[in-house]
Amino acid sequence: MKKWLWVLFGVIGFSLASWAGEGVRWNVYPNPFENYVAVEWQQNSEGNIRMMVFDLTGKMVKEVEVKGKIGTNAYIVEFEDLPSGPYNFYFHDPSGAKLYHGKILKR
């Protein structure tokens, strides 16, 4: 069962997107962001995770594949080359199955 939770930290000035599902927990922050987002996740088995980012027209503007290990994983995704605006992101496992999705906003 997938769960989606937005936790807002108004005092600090950023929000943290968190997801929990079968075998994987996700955190993507800060959101909104300026040049990068940090992605943290927990895995119960080894395997690559692919992040795909799309603009609002549906054009894929970024794709990153990261080798995931059992336990805690972390990766910084750079977005310096993208213009400000909202983006949709998707995480996929090696078979191509969609694990999670969400929205991020570049300032």
Side-chain angles (χ1 to χ4, degrees):
M1 182 174 153
K2 296 179 184 175
K3 297 177 184 175
W4 186 2
L5 170 69
W6 285 97
V7 182
L8 299 177
F9 295 92
V11 175
I12 299 173
F14 71 91
S15 64
L16 170 72
S18 296
W19 298 267
E22 298 187 23
V24 186
R25 270 190 88 82
W26 299 91
N27 291 318
V28 179
Y29 61 92
N31 191 16
F33 67 97
E34 291 191 19
N35 291 317
Y36 71 90
V37 294
V39 179
E40 297 175 347
W41 70 99
Q42 295 278 334
Q43 282 184 230
N44 291 336
S45 61
E46 290 188 11
N48 291 357
I49 299 295
R50 185 170 47 144
M51 179 183 191
M52 300 168 63
V53 181
F54 297 84
D55 65 16
L56 291 184
T57 68
K59 177 183 174 189
M60 185 169 54
V61 295
K62 186 100 173 163
E63 182 176 24
V64 177
E65 189 163 333
V66 180
K67 181 176 176 134
K69 60 180 173 48
I70 295 172
T72 302
N73 295 268
Y75 189 78
I76 301 293
V77 183
E78 299 284 338
F79 289 99
E80 292 176 345
D81 55 335
L82 294 180
S84 297
Y87 294 90
N88 295 305
F89 66 86
Y90 299 85
F91 291 105
H92 294 264
D93 68 13
S95 73
K98 183 168 54 171
L99 300 173
Y100 299 98
H101 69 280
K103 296 182 183 201
I104 51 178
L105 177 64
K106 182 172 182 186
R107 287 188 220 175

